Every structure is written in structure tokens, then in C-alpha cells.
Amino acid sequence: MKSLAVTSATYLTDYRLLVAFNDGTSQEIDFAPVLNQFSTGDYRAVYRQQEHFRAFAIENGNLVWGEDWDLIFPVWKLHQNRLTVVRH
């Protein structure tokens, strides 16, 4: 069985992306509710700034932000459009 992977992502508006997967499906995902959970002291809060949010990349089938994958979500959660924040 082939692992689920992100094949592309397109910025739409605000904090919304259209994310496509290798199973032929896609999801319009609003990241605002998750990004708004980050406190100003959280290093991930920088992604609430549009220029940083729009700087996403697809690496190894994952949708990521930052050189060291500062922000990443499990692909299956993106696929199901069920985002949550994991607290460290």
C-alpha cells in the first residue's frame, strides 16, 4: 500500500491552502484556527504573519514551514482536514 503524501499546495487567501494528495483527492484547509492557538512566545507564532505563512514547501510528501520543519502536520490529518496543535 502506498503511503499518503502531499503532492501540491496552493495558497488561496488568508490562511487557506488547497492541498492535493497522491490518492487524487484535495482539501481546502483553513489553518487560521490552529495558528491562532500559538502564543506570542511560541516560535511557531511567526507563521501567523502572512509572508511566513505563504513560505510553505512540500518536502518528502509533507507540507512544511521553516528550514527545520518548524511547523508540520501529519499528512493524514491534512487529508481529513482535522488539524490540531501538539503542545511541547
Side-chain angles (χ1 to χ4, degrees), residues 32-78:
V34 171
L35 294 174
N36 288 332
Q37 291 181 33
F38 298 137
S39 67
T40 53
D42 188 329
Y43 70 97
R44 297 172 295 185
V46 70
Y47 297 102
R48 288 192 300 213
Q49 298 171 18
Q50 280 291 317
E51 70 267 16
H52 294 289
F53 177 74
R54 291 182 188 188
F56 59 85
I58 308 295
E59 295 183 19
N60 300 323
N62 293 288
L63 178 62
V64 301
W65 287 262
E67 287 183 25
D68 296 322
W69 295 19
D70 295 336
L71 187 60
I72 184 172
F73 299 93
V75 175
W76 69 269
K77 285 192 174 193
L78 293 171

